[in-house]
Amino acid sequence: METFWKGLRKPIIALAPMADVTDPAYRRLISECAAADVMWTEFVSADGLYYTREKKGIPDEENPLMRDLAFTQGEHPIVAQLFSAKPDMIRYAAKLAAERGFDGVDINMGCPDASIEKQGAGAAMMKTPELVKDIVDAARMGVCDAGRPHMGVSVKTRIGYNSEAIDTWIPAVLAARPDALTVHLRTRKEMSKVDAHWELMPRVVMLRDQLAPEVVLLGNGDVKDRADALMKIAESGADGAMIGRGIFGNPWVFMGRTDVTENERLDALVTLAHYFEAMKPGKSFYILKKHVKAFVTGFDNAAELRAKLMEATSASQMEEIVARESGF
């Protein structure tokens, strides 16, 4: 059964999921500046979705986890990333994502966060390879429960836990036949402390070609921009690559623009602040500080303007500071 993955033109350049970064506000801005071929949400707890909605009875509009599953039409195709080690929870959450109109669901099997690993999810899934097929099958059942059997089911993982284990772990994931697989080319132990091992991606490609040639394969890690993504894809033989940290301060990265002006950057930052307030009510404005650092750099008086913007506590304050201090 073909999913949207089969209709994507290769090479595929995707937006990587990053907590408190690829939220609905920043994804909307990216989609308006230069949309990725595929977008991922921040990861969302499948267990949390179930207990908050079904057990606590919190309405969707008041549920912060459900707000994390908000998106705008310009973001299609968009994938909801979920985590859990419980097939029934994944099935429940996949059904929710399907009902909300996502194009696919992705199972996180690589996050090294200790609180997630304690649940047996994220990178801890690499310790229980026997669960992978159950989890992927549960996601498929969830989208079928919602009447959307053509919805894509994918996995994002790493090359190993304490050490590189491509030859054992990747076949275990491929055996579950996800529609797509993204491989972060570092181990869980390495976190992001070393360079991504793109030299190992051809081995992953070879295994995919041998064991599950229908699976769309993406690489992830240290992809700076569009040109770098295209180079890494060509050299490795992958179908695509994800851009993660390369999106900081650069929502134009997917079109490869290098001529962005100071005014465009400041305008984008103010727009992001307004989107953040509208789409993430109740969320601390402090989260935007990382974006201030990334957008306000590389031009005259950037340090002074950045320091003042870091004190803003609302989008309107940020807009006023930009207008006053930059003449924008």
Side-chain angles (χ1 to χ4, degrees):
M1 187 173 295
E2 291 196 353
T3 68
F4 82 93
W5 283 106
K6 295 301 182 183
L8 292 179
R9 181 180 298 176
K10 300 173 184 177
I12 300 163
I13 304 180
L15 171 68
M18 292 183 286
D20 287 332
V21 178
T22 56
D23 60 19
Y26 199 39
R27 292 198 316 270
R28 178 179 177 184
L29 180 66
I30 291 171
S31 72
E32 293 172 350
C33 292
D37 293 323
V38 189
M39 287 192 166
W40 257 254
T41 69
E42 307 163 271
F43 61 15
V44 179
S45 168
D47 298 21
L49 285 169
Y50 176 78
Y51 286 107
T52 305
R53 193 186 201 211
E54 300 297 326
K55 296 298 184 181
K56 295 183 179 179
I58 297 177
D60 289 353
E61 61 273 14
E62 298 176 16
N63 183 348
L65 292 179
M66 292 298 287
R67 289 200 295 263
D68 287 340
L69 293 179
F71 63 91
T72 55
Q73 290 304 306
E75 296 171 51
H76 287 292
I78 182 164
V79 174
Q81 193 181 63
L82 309 169
F83 70 87
S84 177
K86 302 172 183 175
D88 56 338
M89 294 292 103
I90 287 292
R91 182 173 181 171
Y92 174 86
K95 180 175 183 289
L96 274 185
E99 291 171 343
R100 292 179 79 83
F102 282 92
D103 299 286
V105 293
D106 185 81
I107 312 302
N108 184 303
M109 297 188 184
C111 178
D113 182 86
S115 64
I116 291 171
E117 287 200 67
K118 285 180 181 178
Q119 303 171 47
M125 288 293 298
M126 288 185 272
K127 297 179 179 180
T128 55
E130 66 277 6
L131 283 179
V132 174
K133 188 176 187 304
D134 290 343
I135 292 290
V136 172
D137 286 348
R140 291 199 189 284
M141 288 187 281
V143 301
C144 287
D145 291 342
R148 297 189 59 205
H150 294 283
M151 191 168 161
V153 175
S154 56
V155 170
K156 186 173 187 292
T157 190
R158 291 175 177 256
I159 58 173
Y161 196 82
N162 288 321
S163 60
E164 181 262 298
I166 289 173
D167 293 335
T168 54
W169 171 238
I170 297 302
V173 179
L174 291 172
R177 292 297 193 273
D179 296 299
L181 170 63
T182 302
V183 180
H184 182 156
L185 292 155
R186 296 183 178 95
T187 66
R188 185 266 179 224
K189 184 177 180 179
E190 289 172 331
M191 306 284 277
S192 295
K193 298 175 183 177
V194 303
D195 293 341
H197 301 290
W198 273 91
E199 74 279 4
L200 299 179
M201 193 64 188
R203 275 176 57 200
V204 181
V205 173
M206 181 183 68
L207 287 168
R208 185 279 309 269
D209 291 347
Q210 292 175 347
L211 302 174
E214 74 280 5
V215 175
V216 177
L217 185 61
L218 283 68
N220 177 220
D222 294 341
V223 182
K224 301 179 183 67
D225 51 33
R226 181 178 178 84
D228 191 36
L230 292 173
M231 180 186 71
K232 285 179 166 63
I233 293 167
E235 291 179 350
S236 68
D239 297 313
M242 278 186 167
I243 300 180
R245 284 176 289 182
I247 69 169
F248 279 105
N250 189 7
W252 305 271
V253 69
F254 293 101
M255 68 164 51
R257 277 193 63 185
T258 59
D259 60 346
V260 181
T261 67
E262 171 189 342
N263 280 358
E264 284 181 295
R265 293 168 70 87
L266 294 175
D267 181 37
L269 176 61
V270 169
T271 298
L272 173 60
H274 282 290
Y275 287 168
F276 183 86
E277 283 190 338
M279 303 180 79
K280 304 285 284 188
K283 198 82 168 180
S284 172
F285 201 73
Y286 184 81
I287 290 172
L288 282 180
K289 303 302 183 184
K290 64 173 70 72
H291 292 295
V292 173
K293 293 178 181 178
F295 275 89
V296 188
T297 187
F299 53 83
D300 292 341
N301 301 318
E304 293 84 351
L305 177 57
R306 187 166 61 247
K308 292 175 180 177
L309 287 170
M310 294 291 279
E311 300 299 319
T313 58
S314 68
S316 60
Q317 284 185 17
M318 191 171 285
E319 186 170 10
E320 290 170 5
I321 292 169
V322 168
R324 183 176 66 248
E325 300 295 332
S326 69
F328 169 62

